[in-house]
Amino acid sequence: MKDISPYKHTVQYYETDQMGVVHHSNYIRWFEEARIDVFEKIGLSYKNLEEMGIISPVVGVSAKYKTMAKFYDTVVIDLKFVKYTGIRLYIEYEIKDSVTGDVRCTGQSEHCFIDREGKIISIKRSFPEIHEKMTQHVEAEA
């Protein structure tokens, strides 16, 4: 995201397989870590949103694995909000090696917003101040 430092993660031993390579499932976890970090940085922490009764489940996620990350590598995770409708949010991710800049993985996630009862809510209609913050951070697809 523009003007927001990327999330950094150091690969832990338990995240690797017998060959010392990061297991593919961990990239999805890192997407989530980066997403929660960015929401915090833009003033919309998940904790506060959930206290307000706003829950944002993942309704779709995909990843493309490019090169291997290994134990003790540090990766940087950039993300951008590519589309936001007030009801759905679409995010793209890029994970790179912090030293070489090699792309390790790219991906996307799609989220909706629901209340505690599981009913879809419109952030635009129900929480205009949050809607305004979200729209400020949407970037056009490259």
Side-chain angles (χ1 to χ4, degrees):
M1 293 192 93
K2 296 176 186 172
D3 304 323
I4 295 177
S5 59
Y7 180 74
K8 292 184 179 182
H9 178 85
T10 301
V11 176
Q12 302 300 305
Y13 186 78
Y14 71 86
E15 295 174 312
T16 63
D17 60 20
Q18 190 175 14
M19 298 178 296
V21 174
V22 170
H23 187 271
H24 66 276
S25 64
N26 289 296
Y27 292 92
I28 304 300
R29 292 173 189 256
W30 299 347
F31 290 173
E32 182 172 298
E33 288 177 20
R35 184 171 64 249
I36 289 171
D37 180 66
V38 163
F39 267 78
E40 187 76 34
K41 287 175 179 172
I42 66 173
L44 295 173
S45 79
Y46 264 57
K47 183 179 186 317
N48 290 343
L49 291 174
E50 288 187 356
E51 287 171 354
M52 296 172 66
I54 303 168
I55 301 165
S56 183
V58 174
V59 296
V61 65
S62 65
K64 298 279 186 186
Y65 306 100
K66 307 292 186 178
T67 59
M68 297 179 287
K70 296 184 177 183
F71 172 59
Y72 218 69
D73 288 352
T74 298
V75 294
V76 292
I77 304 152
D78 281 307
L79 65 81
K80 63 182 176 179
F81 297 168
V82 292
K83 184 178 177 185
Y84 166 70
T85 67
I87 296 172
R88 297 236 182 206
L89 174 63
Y90 302 82
I91 304 173
E92 289 183 351
Y93 306 84
E94 185 175 62
I95 299 176
K96 293 182 180 178
D97 184 274
S98 68
V99 176
T100 66
D102 292 342
V103 176
R104 300 295 185 217
C105 180
T106 60
Q108 303 85 33
S109 63
E110 178 184 349
H111 309 262
C112 68
F113 300 96
I114 60 174
D115 63 18
R116 287 188 179 103
E117 288 74 43
K119 294 182 180 153
I120 298 283
I121 56 175
S122 168
I123 297 298
K124 182 178 183 177
R125 187 171 49 241
S126 301
F127 300 93
E129 67 287 353
I130 293 171
H131 173 73
E132 181 60 31
K133 277 190 179 183
M134 294 289 287
T135 57
Q136 290 173 4
H137 295 285
V138 176
E139 299 178 37
E141 291 187 70

